[in-house]
Amino acid sequence: MKLTRRATLQTFIAGSAAFATLRAFPAAAQAKGGTLRVGLTYEIDTMNVYSTGFLGDAQAAVVEGLLAPDTHAKYVPVLATEVPTVQNGGIVLSPDGKTMKITYKLRPNVKWHDGKPFTSADVKFTWEAVKDPKFIAESKDGSSQVESIETPDDLTVIVNYNTVLPTFASTLFTFGIMPKHQIEGTDINTSSYNEMPIGTGPFKVKEFKRGQYCATERFDDYWRKAPNGDKLPYLDGIVFKMIKDSNTLITQLKSGEVDLVVQTPYNQAKQVEGIAAIEIVKGQLLSWQHLDFNFKRKSLADPAVRKAIAHGINRQVLIKAQGGFPEPIKSPVVPVFDFYDPNTPDYAYDVEKAKKILDDAGYKAGSDGVREKDGEKLSYSFVIQAGRADDELAQQVIIAQLKAIGIEAKADNKTGVAFRDARYKGGYDLLYSRWITSADPVYSVFWGTGGANNGQSYSNPTLDAAFKKFEASFDPAVRKAAAAEFQKILAEDLPSIPLTTNVAVIAKSKKLKNFVPNPTNMTNFVDTSAWYMA
């Protein structure tokens, strides 16, 4: 797929009150009622947006943040009345340029699902809860950079940062605000909030059946109204069905048991195109596929092995096996970003070169064809998320390609919490998966020393310094130079091999109207209030 949104995805951090909603639909009367049934390809581990190891699809329909990225990956206000910027005075840098202060003005008359008023106290509590060392969060991004929060009144939040954080909008308060009155005084790790969260979103949780579904229903006191004055949301509810087997997912699309699948497997897209009641929507994603190495394995900590593997993978075969939808990449910075560096070093597919690298490094083939050195065979546990047809297919392609250069990879696929734990705790040798970023990415979470998503035990102080420069300046020139630097380091040190971009192949009922794709990690469900069933 061509990157048709390149022109609209160039500037992410700027925002203003002019972008008052995530989308703008015609003011014509819309149909009210109906329940949307969504097929998820994974098992929801928790409804807490700060704890989940997956994208927060169901969570996004229930919980709201102060800001959110819209369909063009531009931040817009949600529970805040405008996006803070230097220009509008919402962001104030200290005289020495080392710290900053951000002021949020909150929307009045917003209610939690239990009818309690949403106030600045909830925002401050969210920060305190997330940064608490006792809270086991998937990510605490943005919490440690906050020095203090002032709440001079119920609708004003002043956030004092101990550094300059240009990526503030992609962390912490954007993912969701937690209700102080529900959680305060409880152990958030075991709180009922993790299954039945109270939010301010258009839908509230009705029932959560672990491993099966999460049923939501309309929140009648939702704050947002349509441009024509209609009270939102239109739908009676959304049911998120957890269907890990892709064949079952397609079967339920055909039978009408599922109305929307936002991650249709590439190799099954043609089957979906033949379903009369379903239409395909293709959306660009800020996402890429990657192969990660666990540095706890002595051989994988050897750059020769990593570079040989990079030369041994043929991206074109991967792409063909996945219906031709992805595109090859050489950097984790997807090309839609203006700080993507086209001069990033690349590893061309070259089997003979891969073999020579391993030969020169002393890895010799045994009687079974698997190379070894100093008693360690190049035989690896290869983990993917089970049930994802595209990943399972790619895994088989990679296994065959690695075998051709004398490396054995054995499938060790995991589901649900087991996969999440393996991914974040390093329970693998090789891991093939995908990352998707916010509209203003923070890459240190993936490969920075101690990064929240760094399950590889990888550390590089030079890379850490480049990340710090990128993430601590509002100057576009400084950020672009730092981005070029960290892309070069990642390509040369190769803790992870970026393989292909992703595109969303969305299968939706023709009856579902006002649906627009969202390319970011806030998911397609970040703005569901105007969706309706014709």
Side-chain angles (χ1 to χ4, degrees):
M1 299 302 296
K2 298 298 181 185
L3 302 175
T4 55
R5 291 187 184 167
R6 181 183 299 272
T8 63
L9 293 176
Q10 293 302 312
T11 306
F12 297 118
I13 198 66
S16 72
F19 293 90
T21 60
L22 297 180
R23 74 284 174 271
F25 294 117
Q30 316 289 0
K32 197 158 185 135
T35 298
L36 179 70
R37 298 157 300 176
V38 176
L40 299 180
T41 57
Y42 61 91
E43 181 180 328
I44 298 173
D45 49 355
T46 172
M47 286 295 290
N48 188 326
V49 296
Y50 290 101
S51 302
T52 182
F54 302 99
L55 291 180
D57 293 302
Q59 296 89 332
V62 174
V63 177
E64 295 178 310
L66 302 186
L67 312 173
D70 67 5
T71 185
H72 301 299
K74 188 178 185 69
Y75 284 106
V76 295
V78 182
L79 294 179
T81 58
E82 68 176 357
V83 178
T85 66
V86 174
Q87 291 75 19
N88 65 22
I91 300 175
V92 178
L93 299 177
S94 63
D96 62 6
K98 294 183 178 180
T99 63
M100 69 181 193
K101 177 181 295 187
I102 294 181
T103 299
Y104 293 97
K105 290 294 184 180
L106 307 182
R107 292 189 187 276
N109 304 316
V110 174
K111 294 181 181 178
W112 291 101
H113 291 159
D114 61 359
K116 303 284 188 182
F118 161 73
T119 72
S120 57
D122 297 304
V123 179
K124 183 176 181 179
F125 172 78
T126 297
W127 167 62
E128 293 171 339
V130 171
K131 76 181 180 72
D132 187 339
K134 295 179 182 178
F135 174 42
I136 303 171
E138 184 274 331
S139 174
K140 295 175 180 274
D141 296 343
S143 61
S144 63
Q145 290 89 345
V146 175
E147 186 68 29
S148 64
I149 292 181
E150 303 166 46
T151 55
D153 58 58
D154 285 349
L155 299 179
T156 304
V157 178
I158 302 172
V159 186
N160 299 299
Y161 283 83
N162 55 29
T163 186
V164 173
L165 190 67
T167 56
F168 74 93
S170 66
T171 63
L172 200 58
F173 304 126
T174 293
F175 279 92
I177 304 301
M178 294 189 282
K180 178 179 179 179
H181 66 277
Q182 182 189 12
I183 303 175
E184 188 175 39
T186 69
D187 180 354
I188 194 170
N189 296 306
T190 58
S191 170
S192 61
Y193 178 84
N194 297 321
E195 294 192 353
M196 300 289 287
I198 291 174
T200 61
F203 298 95
K204 57 184 181 180
V205 178
K206 180 180 180 182
E207 184 179 12
F208 181 84
K209 194 77 171 177
R210 190 167 292 280
Q212 297 183 41
Y213 60 83
C214 175
T216 71
E217 60 185 347
R218 178 195 292 120
F219 176 40
D220 289 327
D221 284 331
Y222 184 53
W223 60 269
R224 194 195 302 266
K225 290 186 177 180
N228 64 359
D230 282 353
K231 192 173 180 58
L232 297 176
Y234 289 120
L235 293 172
D236 288 334
I238 304 177
V239 176
F240 296 87
K241 303 174 69 174
M242 306 171 207
I243 309 171
K244 292 175 288 185
D245 182 78
S246 59
N247 292 318
T248 304
L249 193 68
I250 301 305
T251 298
Q252 292 202 17
L253 268 175
K254 290 178 178 179
S255 65
E257 297 170 81
V258 166
D259 306 303
L260 177 65
V261 174
V262 296
Q263 292 181 338
T264 306
Y266 293 142
N267 66 338
Q268 293 174 303
K270 289 197 177 297
Q271 294 182 50
V272 175
E273 287 176 344
I275 305 174
I278 299 295
E279 60 185 355
I280 293 290
V281 177
K282 295 173 184 175
Q284 187 61 49
L285 292 173
L286 305 182
S287 172
W288 73 98
Q289 296 291 139
H290 54 91
L291 182 70
D292 290 348
F293 306 103
N294 191 329
F295 279 65
K296 291 179 182 177
R297 280 294 300 265
K298 182 180 177 182
S299 57
L300 292 177
D302 184 347
V305 174
R306 302 196 300 275
K307 290 177 181 179
I309 290 175
H311 282 298
I313 295 178
N314 188 336
R315 289 170 173 80
Q316 294 303 325
V317 175
L318 285 173
I319 291 167
K320 185 176 180 180
Q322 297 178 86
F325 287 103
E327 290 187 342
I329 55 171
K330 58 182 179 178
S331 168
V333 177
V334 295
V336 294
F337 290 118
D338 62 357
F339 51 85
Y340 165 75
D341 184 8
N343 297 314
T344 299
D346 198 3
Y347 293 83
Y349 173 58
D350 189 332
V351 171
E352 294 308 313
K353 187 171 184 177
K355 290 179 178 178
K356 186 176 187 309
I357 290 172
L358 292 171
D359 287 339
D360 292 346
Y363 295 94
K364 305 302 180 184
S367 58
D368 58 359
V370 181
R371 293 176 182 268
E372 60 180 289
K373 177 183 176 181
D374 299 332
E376 183 186 357
K377 293 173 72 77
L378 301 191
S379 177
Y380 302 120
S381 164
F382 188 3
V383 171
I384 66 162
Q385 184 178 342
R388 298 187 72 108
D390 294 328
D391 290 4
E392 289 173 340
L393 186 58
Q395 182 187 45
Q396 292 306 308
V397 171
I398 293 172
I399 287 174
Q401 292 179 347
L402 294 186
K403 184 178 181 180
I405 62 173
I407 295 176
E408 180 181 53
K410 297 178 288 187
D412 181 20
N413 303 341
K414 303 178 187 299
T415 62
V417 175
F419 172 75
R420 183 194 69 183
D421 285 350
R423 185 183 206 183
Y424 291 106
K425 297 178 182 178
Y428 60 85
D429 294 326
L430 303 174
L431 175 80
Y432 176 82
S433 189
R434 68 195 64 196
W435 291 123
I436 182 169
T437 73
S438 66
D440 198 11
V442 177
Y443 295 96
S444 62
V445 299
F446 305 119
W447 303 286
T449 301
N453 298 350
N454 183 352
Q456 304 175 242
S457 299
Y458 172 70
S459 177
N460 182 332
T462 305
L463 180 63
D464 291 340
F467 282 146
K468 186 174 182 179
K469 284 189 285 186
F470 176 73
E471 295 167 11
S473 175
F474 279 97
D475 187 331
V478 171
R479 285 169 60 82
K480 190 163 187 175
E485 183 181 359
F486 77 64
Q487 287 172 81
K488 183 173 185 291
I489 294 170
L490 284 170
E492 291 176 344
D493 209 23
L494 212 65
S496 175
I497 305 174
L499 293 169
T500 59
T501 60
N502 286 314
V503 63
V505 181
I506 302 165
K508 78 170 193 69
S509 167
K510 292 178 180 177
K511 293 182 179 180
L512 178 60
K513 304 298 181 182
N514 281 353
F515 171 88
V516 289
N518 190 294
T520 75
N521 61 347
M522 290 299 291
T523 86
N524 293 286
F525 299 92
V526 71
D527 186 27
T528 55
S529 62
W531 296 2
Y532 71 98
M533 302 294 282

